[in-house]
Amino acid sequence: MSKKIPERSEIAIQDQWALEDLYATDELWQENLKKLQAEIDELAGFAGRISQSAQELLAYRKLVDMFTIRAERLGNYAMRRGDQDKRDSYYQGMVGQFMKAYVEAEAKTSFEAPELLSISDEKMEEFYREEPELELYRRYFDKSRGRRAHILSATEEKLLAAAGEMSQSPQNIFSMFSNADLKFKPAVDKDGAEHPISQGTYIACLESPDRVLRKSAFENYYAAYENFRNTCAATLDANVKQLQFFADARKYASPLEASLDCTEVPTSVYHQLIESVHQNLDKMHRYVRLRKKLLGVDELHYYDIYAPMVPDQDETIPFEKAKEMALEALAPLGEDYLAMLKEGFENRWIDVYENQGKRSGAYSSGQYSCHPFVLLNYTDTLNDVFTLVHEMGHALHSYLSAKNQSITYFDYVIFVAEVASTCNESLLMQHLLGKTTGKKERAYLINYFLEQFR
């Protein structure tokens, strides 16, 4: 039988992220939550004042900056703790405490957008002249005022903000269901051995050359979801309805337009990206035919699309080796970049391995007042090495942004976010191809590269 998925308590400390860098204790977190709640009331006191003078507007924005830094730290600590084990009710409760406070802040500062709109362009220019420090926020103000068609009255904005926590329910319900509650039957390989199936191990099973194992993993994984198909459908339906509600409330033509507006991307770009894929599906079809031929199967199934087309080239890559590969591959980015990468590797920025109840997948959570945190579910595969450099691309992007931007402009939209991560993946692929001499190994890597396009 394959290695069992450990409990959180069985994960070595060096393989866990150092959340104590945010707060040394949960008690300290609670103390800071109380300070945040006091700042919410202080922010609410600016209602009706920010349009009156440049001094009031500047004071308000500075307080918002301080509040945002504290809120970001509180939220990240609670959410990262919660993602360690979705079954842990204490930390799920902590996430709930934070979200309640954050939604309260959204509601009590919902006056900001309508009040900013009440300031004429001429008066705003006077404000900039009176308080030169306001120039820092000019782009922020312009962006907010540019959404004039979708900003409602102060009362309506307050109502929508108060519904913020409730609107996240479909996503939260599915996350708890999928990561904490859902259980899968073990997959069985051609020799009859069992392999535990989880969100973290599923893809590794689909990458196996053993077709019996792949089919078993696929069937057992989706059978678990099928048993709750009505629950999944209802959760999805609820999410679609909340997106439609907020899009209608803010007078957008569609939920798509509403979602893209905050990224400053027009819907035409989104549709053009899809059309570009459609126009190149012939290459995809050629690739799939080649996959079917090289795998030697009469019919290609979903559980065949991750299997290596080049046999006997799978390599077990321990995490220590993965870090070495990352440092070698990303060397073209310079010594400063490598130094930051080493800092992350050596100071526990990364939560490495899967454990029972841990959130599936991988992500990087950027921090303005602390270093980033990266979640992995590392299983010693080449795909995991690419995931490592991908997420560290996000992490160092955030790290550098925090060092060079104010909190107002620290974050970045999704169309920018993926540049750093995919650049790192490309550098790793070029590095591996450059040092490979064997034909089979090179073919394996090219196959992997093609998979990224698929």
Side-chain angles (χ1 to χ4, degrees):
M1 183 179 290
S2 296
K3 183 180 178 182
K4 75 177 184 72
I5 301 166
E7 292 292 337
R8 183 70 185 179
S9 59
E10 298 175 293
I11 301 293
I13 191 68
Q14 67 266 22
D15 297 321
Q16 299 181 31
W17 44 24
L19 296 182
E20 62 271 18
D21 292 350
L22 287 169
Y23 294 103
T25 65
D26 294 343
E27 291 72 25
L28 188 58
W29 184 90
Q30 292 288 353
E31 290 175 18
N32 275 268
L33 182 63
K34 291 177 182 177
K35 293 177 182 177
L36 184 83
Q37 290 166 329
E39 289 175 349
I40 293 173
D41 292 333
E42 191 176 352
L43 285 168
F46 277 90
R49 292 164 50 190
I50 64 173
S51 59
Q52 300 305 304
S53 72
Q55 293 73 30
E56 291 281 14
L57 181 56
L58 179 60
Y60 171 75
R61 282 311 311 174
K62 286 185 173 181
L63 183 58
V64 168
D65 286 350
M66 291 171 57
F67 171 85
T68 303
I69 292 170
R70 191 188 301 277
E72 180 200 58
R73 202 174 183 99
L74 284 162
N76 270 280
Y77 182 82
M79 292 174 189
R80 303 298 75 79
R81 287 290 187 200
D83 284 349
Q84 291 177 173
D85 188 345
K86 290 290 188 179
R87 305 167 304 171
D88 190 324
S89 59
Y90 178 80
Y91 287 119
Q92 300 313 319
M94 189 179 278
V95 173
Q97 283 181 278
F98 169 75
M99 287 306 302
K100 181 180 179 182
Y102 191 78
V103 169
E104 181 186 351
E106 291 279 290
K108 288 188 174 180
T109 59
S110 58
F111 65 83
E112 180 188 313
E115 197 165 337
L116 279 175
L117 284 183
S118 72
I119 306 172
S120 68
D121 291 343
E122 294 77 16
K123 191 173 182 180
M124 278 298 297
E125 291 303 323
E126 286 181 22
F127 281 2
Y128 291 128
R129 288 193 293 272
E130 289 174 21
E131 284 287 356
E133 285 186 74
L134 279 175
E135 284 290 347
L136 171 65
Y137 302 101
R138 181 185 281 270
R139 186 178 187 279
Y140 170 83
F141 292 145
D142 287 348
K143 186 177 177 181
S144 181
R145 288 159 62 83
R147 297 178 63 247
R148 185 179 301 272
H150 308 292
I151 293 174
L152 310 179
S153 69
T155 301
E156 290 169 321
E157 287 289 343
K158 186 174 183 179
L159 185 62
L160 287 186
E165 186 176 11
M166 181 174 61
S167 72
Q168 296 302 309
S169 294
Q171 180 180 335
N172 294 337
I173 290 168
F174 184 77
S175 178
M176 293 298 295
F177 165 71
S178 186
N179 292 298
D181 295 337
L182 201 60
K183 304 299 178 188
F184 307 96
K185 287 176 56 179
V188 179
D189 64 23
K190 59 182 174 57
D191 299 318
E194 290 188 344
H195 299 253
I197 296 297
S198 68
Q199 301 291 359
T201 63
Y202 172 61
I203 293 297
C205 287
L206 289 194
E207 292 173 340
S208 169
D210 182 348
R211 199 181 194 208
V212 174
L213 173 60
R214 298 201 304 267
K215 182 179 180 182
S216 178
F218 173 81
E219 291 177 344
N220 291 353
Y221 182 82
Y222 283 104
Y225 282 101
E226 187 178 20
N227 289 337
F228 295 94
R229 59 189 179 277
N230 295 322
T231 298
C232 292
T235 307
L236 175 61
D237 182 58
N239 197 58
V240 170
K241 286 177 177 175
Q242 70 92 356
L243 290 171
Q244 186 67 59
F245 170 80
F246 282 95
D248 290 344
R250 292 200 173 279
K251 302 180 177 64
Y252 285 101
S254 67
L256 175 64
E257 184 185 23
S259 297
L260 290 175
D261 188 42
C262 63
T263 70
E264 300 178 90
V265 173
T267 56
S268 59
V269 172
Y270 180 90
H271 289 300
Q272 184 57 51
L273 287 169
I274 294 175
E275 184 56 30
S276 296
V277 173
H278 289 166
Q279 291 173 3
N280 287 278
L281 281 177
D282 58 318
K283 287 83 173 175
M284 168 73 162
H285 295 160
R286 284 173 57 197
Y287 171 65
V288 171
R289 287 194 295 271
L290 177 63
R291 168 170 284 279
K292 178 181 174 182
K293 177 181 177 181
L294 292 181
L295 289 179
V297 296
D298 295 327
E299 192 175 62
L300 199 71
H301 287 268
Y302 186 84
Y303 52 78
D304 293 319
I305 63 175
Y306 290 96
M309 286 163 41
V310 183
D312 306 320
Q313 292 299 308
D314 284 339
E315 181 184 0
T316 298
I317 306 173
F319 190 62
E320 288 303 314
K321 183 176 180 181
K323 291 190 288 187
E324 293 174 9
M325 292 168 67
L327 289 166
E328 292 173 1
L330 303 180
L333 295 176
E335 289 300 321
D336 289 346
Y337 192 90
L338 293 185
M340 288 184 288
L341 193 60
K342 289 176 185 175
E343 183 181 345
F345 289 162
E346 294 169 2
N347 291 281
R348 296 173 46 222
W349 292 8
I350 307 171
D351 204 77
V352 184
Y353 299 110
E354 182 183 18
N355 57 254
Q356 295 284 349
K358 184 178 176 180
R359 184 194 187 278
S360 60
Y363 64 68
S364 169
S365 174
Q367 289 281 295
Y368 188 78
S369 59
C370 186
H371 58 75
F373 292 92
V374 171
L375 179 140
L376 301 177
N377 281 276
Y378 194 84
T379 58
D380 298 347
T381 67
L382 178 64
N383 184 63
D384 291 325
V385 182
F386 276 90
T387 301
L388 171 64
V389 299
H390 179 105
E391 298 303 338
M392 290 307 289
H394 287 310
L396 295 193
H397 182 180
S398 297
Y399 196 48
L400 287 167
S401 182
K403 288 180 178 294
N404 293 280
Q405 297 285 353
S406 70
I407 184 63
T408 306
Y409 305 115
F410 153 68
D411 206 1
Y412 40 83
V413 298
I414 190 66
F415 271 64
V416 174
E418 297 306 318
V419 175
S421 53
T422 51
C423 173
N424 278 10
E425 286 197 64
S426 294
L427 286 171
L428 176 58
M429 177 55 69
Q430 294 302 321
H431 169 70
L432 294 175
L433 287 172
K435 61 182 290 189
T436 299
T437 55
K439 286 186 177 180
K440 275 194 171 184
E441 187 180 356
R442 188 172 184 82
Y444 178 87
L445 290 170
I446 292 172
N447 175 204
Y448 183 90
F449 200 29
L450 286 169
E451 278 295 296
Q452 307 316 299
F453 288 92
R454 178 183 66 74

